Amino acid sequence: DPRAVPPTVIVQCLKCIAYLAPAAQIPLTPLEDPTHYDCPKTTERNFAGHWPLATSKMLLDVTSHKVKDDLKVGALSLKKVHNVFIAAGENDLAVPLDAIKYFHESVQPMNKHFMPVPKAGHDLMCNESSSRLVNKALYDWISTCLN
């Protein structure tokens, strides 16, 4: 989603800083807050805080260029994959539904299923109600694929 990306001049400056200080964590990078998906709640194994610049740069490069380019040239066709199930939250602000739909329409596995999840966000598998919907749909779909 272009709205989530800072202006080009900022991105270029951040890329330069990432080269010099890849582990720097500044407020211009995404903020990871695992408190709603930590399991168990007392764990400290999940990263918390602003992402390091190198991580942010890598994810921005992959999502902004690599995946789109690979889909266009067929390098990410998934033609040799048998089954692909994709669930996406309709209210996901991190990965917009349109981007997931585009990916689903572009890949060509032997069998695929797309499930938009109403009222769910990027944390759809951390929310009990949406997680149950997805798990049930996935179980049913796998059962269909096996028959």
Side-chain angles (χ1 to χ4, degrees):
D1 184 355
R3 296 171 296 174
V5 180
T8 303
V9 68
I10 302 286
V11 171
Q12 294 306 322
C13 288
L14 290 173
K15 285 182 177 184
C16 291
I17 297 169
Y19 181 76
L20 298 171
Q25 294 171 263
I26 61 174
L28 293 173
T29 63
L31 178 63
E32 188 74 26
D33 177 16
T35 56
H36 64 286
Y37 61 79
D38 274 340
C39 186
K41 290 288 184 192
T42 56
T43 187
E44 295 180 11
R45 72 174 173 256
N46 291 318
F47 176 79
H50 286 280
W51 290 7
L53 281 169
T55 303
S56 299
K57 179 190 178 306
M58 181 272 309
L59 186 62
L60 181 62
D61 290 346
V62 166
T63 57
S64 297
H65 306 292
K66 184 69 175 147
V67 171
K68 288 180 183 177
D69 294 346
D70 284 354
L71 286 171
K72 283 180 187 171
V73 299
L76 195 57
S77 69
L78 304 181
K79 285 182 181 179
K80 295 182 181 180
V81 175
H82 286 278
N83 299 303
V84 172
F85 179 94
I86 300 172
E90 289 183 351
N91 299 333
D92 191 333
L93 300 177
V95 184
L97 191 62
D98 289 344
I100 302 296
K101 285 180 182 177
Y102 174 74
F103 177 81
H104 178 261
E105 292 164 2
S106 299
V107 296
Q108 303 165 11
M110 295 172 201
N111 188 20
K112 64 182 177 178
H113 180 71
F114 177 68
M115 178 186 181
V117 183
K119 300 178 185 173
H122 195 64
D123 60 350
L124 72 146
M125 295 307 289
C126 299
N127 178 294
E128 187 175 349
S129 62
S130 57
S131 177
R132 284 184 185 194
L133 284 173
V134 173
N135 284 327
K136 179 171 182 351
L138 178 59
Y139 176 81
D140 292 345
W141 186 72
I142 290 171
S143 297
T144 302
C145 291
L146 294 175
N147 292 331

